């Protein structure tokens, strides 16, 4: 999580999946609908930080916490089905284009892109039917666009299957790609 903070990416601790016992998630909710894939605190949007001291303290208390990255601040994330994401990534690589950071998250691929931002004037905000927030994940099986008021599970988090979230293309310090350029690759 400190590596993300060094990039200027706010971080917040997430619940972790439980492999033993009667519960499937480390959170307090019985029958958690999204085990290990959500922030520990309902105040996650306000708590997310790049402060290394605070992040170190949080992970000292919850060393097995998953890593949650809020979207719509520094970056947005296109979240696509695995086959479509790997196909798009291959086409981007073959064209010698820069895909930006790309992560594998179970049966999904996450493309990190420059954010549309959080404008002071709400009239500047442009929304689309791809916008996704945690409550609408199940209603959006294809392409999802995580922007303002959403988050993603980031490496090295663990999925309920025990599989890790991992980087296919880690952040490398280059500017994040324009979302519309990546969207063109994903639309193919």
């Amino acid at each position: 999580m400190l590596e993300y903070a060094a990039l200027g990416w706010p971080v917040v601790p997430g619940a972790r999946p439980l492999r033993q016992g009667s519960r499937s998630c480390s959170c307090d909710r019985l029958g958690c609908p999204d085990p290990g894939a959500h922030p520990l605190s309902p105040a996650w949007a306000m708590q997310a930080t790049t402060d290394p001291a605070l992040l170190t303290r949080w992970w000292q208390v919850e060393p097995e916490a998953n890593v949650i990255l809020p979207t719509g601040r520094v970056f947005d994330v296109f979240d696509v089905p695995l086959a479509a994401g790997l196909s798009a990534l291959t086409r981007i690589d073959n064209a010698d284009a820069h895909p930006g950071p790309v992560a594998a998250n179970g049966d999904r691929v996450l493309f990190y892109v420059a954010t549309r931002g959080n404008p002071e004037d709400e009239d500047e905000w442009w929304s689309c039917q791809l916008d996704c927030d945690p409550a609408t994940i199940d209603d959006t099986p294809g392409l999802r666009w995580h922007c303002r008021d959403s988050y993603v599970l980031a490496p090295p988090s663990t999925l309920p299957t025990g599989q890790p979230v991992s980087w296919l293309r880690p952040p490398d310090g280059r500017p994040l790609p324009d979302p519309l350029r990546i969207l063109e690759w994903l639309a193919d």
Side-chain angles (χ1 to χ4, degrees):
M1 82 293 199
L2 294 177
E3 297 85 11
Y4 297 125
L7 291 170
W9 296 6
V11 182
V12 68
R16 62 183 163 71
L18 299 177
R19 311 268 290 144
Q20 298 178 354
S22 60
R23 294 187 2 225
S24 60
C25 186
S26 65
C27 72
D28 294 336
R29 293 183 291 182
L30 292 175
C32 175
D34 207 10
H38 60 84
L40 284 173
S41 169
W44 64 270
M46 293 183 298
Q47 292 173 335
T49 186
T50 58
D51 179 350
L54 185 54
L55 292 170
T56 299
R57 237 177 323 187
W58 283 343
W59 264 269
Q60 285 173 341
V61 172
E62 291 285 342
E64 295 179 23
N66 274 341
V67 177
I68 301 290
L69 300 176
T71 56
R73 297 177 184 193
V74 177
F75 55 83
D76 290 350
V77 171
F78 286 123
D79 170 349
V80 298
L82 183 64
L86 294 177
S87 175
L89 184 57
T90 298
R91 289 191 316 276
I92 293 168
D93 287 344
N94 288 342
D96 288 326
H98 173 57
V102 180
N105 183 340
D107 63 351
R108 310 289 296 184
V109 175
L110 308 179
F111 289 81
Y112 289 68
V113 297
T115 188
R116 291 188 287 167
N118 195 3
E120 291 179 21
D121 180 0
E122 286 296 316
D123 291 335
E124 290 179 25
W125 179 256
W126 53 280
S127 186
C128 75
Q129 67 268 34
L130 300 176
D131 286 354
C132 183
D133 66 50
T136 64
I137 285 284
D138 292 334
D139 300 331
T140 318
L143 174 63
R144 304 169 183 154
W145 191 335
H146 294 273
C147 50
R148 187 171 63 170
D149 299 328
S150 190
Y151 55 80
V152 293
L153 195 60
S157 298
T158 303
L159 300 167
T161 61
Q163 180 182 16
V165 177
S166 59
W167 287 113
L168 299 174
R169 302 292 182 279
D172 61 8
R174 287 190 277 179
L176 295 171
D178 181 278
L180 298 179
R181 278 196 75 221
I182 297 299
L183 186 58
E184 288 175 9
W185 289 103
L186 295 173
D188 285 346

